[in-house]
Amino acid sequence: MDVPSDTILERLTLRSVDPVTGERYHLIYNPPRTNEVKQRLQTSPKDVESAVNHRMAEYQAYIEEIGEYYEGTGEHVNADQDIHTVFECIESIIVNPIPRKE
């Protein structure tokens, strides 16, 4: 799955949970309907920018190995699209699985 770092940061650092209802929100894609709810939202420590950047750096350390494993499969997911399009792309890959390396 390919997605730019700035999109990853946007998706992860702007999500939060209402501790009263347990409802999940994203300040851009699914914002709270009232200011009262917005004021009580909590962000997980794993979603602060420094933590997200750390996880992305860990991922980047292994991206070459991951790419080598899947090289030649022809499968690619542009994850910088709306969630439904990405889901459909992943679903089509699952229905037509990647051949195993022997």
Side-chain angles (χ1 to χ4, degrees):
M1 293 177 67
D2 291 328
V3 60
S5 296
D6 58 335
T7 300
I8 293 170
L9 280 171
E10 177 183 278
R11 289 179 182 173
L12 298 181
T13 61
L14 297 179
R15 61 185 183 175
S16 52
V17 175
D18 180 348
V20 174
T21 65
E23 198 67 30
R24 296 175 194 209
Y25 294 95
H26 188 279
L27 296 180
I28 295 174
Y29 304 115
N30 182 31
R33 291 171 185 75
T34 67
N35 198 34
E36 177 185 351
V37 173
K38 185 176 182 179
Q39 295 302 313
R40 66 180 185 231
L41 292 180
Q42 295 180 346
T43 301
S44 170
K46 69 179 186 173
D47 289 343
V48 297
E49 188 170 343
S50 60
V52 173
N53 282 327
H54 179 74
R55 290 196 319 266
M56 286 193 304
E58 288 178 334
Y59 171 78
Q60 289 298 323
Y62 295 100
I63 192 65
E64 275 189 41
E65 291 176 32
I66 294 168
E68 288 172 8
Y69 181 81
Y70 290 102
E71 188 176 287
T73 64
E75 300 298 338
H76 170 80
V77 176
N78 175 5
D80 194 16
Q81 304 177 73
D82 70 275
I83 190 169
H84 302 292
T85 304
V86 174
F87 177 81
E88 288 174 0
C89 185
I90 293 170
E91 184 179 46
S92 72
I93 293 170
I94 292 170
V95 171
N96 304 304
I98 299 170
R100 288 182 165 208
K101 284 189 173 183
E102 301 289 332

